[in-house]
Amino acid sequence: MTITLTNPAGLPETDIYHQVSVATGSKLVHIAGQVAWDADGSTVGEGDLAAQTERCYLNIGTALAGVGASFDDVVKLTVYVVDWTPDQMPSLLAGISGAKAKLGTAAAPPASLLGVAALDVPEHLIEIEATAVLV
């Protein structure tokens, strides 16, 4: 499977994702929104956006591995953050950086960030969905 990540001329480049991904493959994988739960269902990093972001990415990594994939196969992320304000960006980026280091990836697929009023339980500050393409 081949995924090409690009920032076409005329669109801004960002540090955390590419504007476009082009994927060729035969399996489309949708991963449910992952929150900051550990394997036992306990919330990780209560009140800490960076820790919860990292955990969401690690949970996506676990889900991907379960179907024989990795972050290199991800073509799109959708990120939901409770009560989002731009001053939360450093915490979000710290969580992403920590997760990428632990997962051993530099993948930066296209992503959308949405501020939301609440998630499934009050302790959750972030939820991340992923779409991947496999051969």
Side-chain angles (χ1 to χ4, degrees):
M1 192 262 323
T2 302
I3 295 177
T4 303
L5 300 175
T6 185
N7 289 307
L11 293 177
E13 290 190 29
T14 69
D15 293 336
I16 58 173
Y17 66 88
H18 288 83
Q19 295 288 357
V20 176
S21 66
V22 178
T24 56
S26 60
K27 264 192 205 178
L28 186 60
V29 179
H30 294 276
I31 297 174
Q34 295 299 301
V35 293
W37 277 333
D38 63 15
D40 296 322
S42 298
T43 298
V44 173
E46 192 168 336
D48 183 342
L49 181 60
Q52 289 198 17
T53 301
E54 182 175 308
R55 186 61 199 207
C56 290
Y57 267 74
L58 295 176
N59 287 350
I60 291 169
T62 299
L64 289 165
V67 296
S70 73
F71 258 92
D72 293 333
D73 300 306
V74 172
V75 296
K76 178 72 167 70
L77 295 170
T78 304
V79 180
Y80 305 90
V81 180
V82 174
D83 296 327
W84 172 258
T85 58
D87 64 324
Q88 294 170 294
M89 187 60 83
S91 293
L92 182 69
L93 294 176
I96 292 169
S97 294
K100 284 184 174 187
K102 288 181 178 176
L103 293 165
T105 185
S112 295
L113 172 65
L114 295 96
V116 296
L119 292 171
D120 59 334
V121 296
E123 296 83 23
H124 292 159
L125 304 174
I126 185 168
E127 182 171 325
I128 306 174
E129 298 174 348
T131 303
V133 176
L134 306 177
V135 174

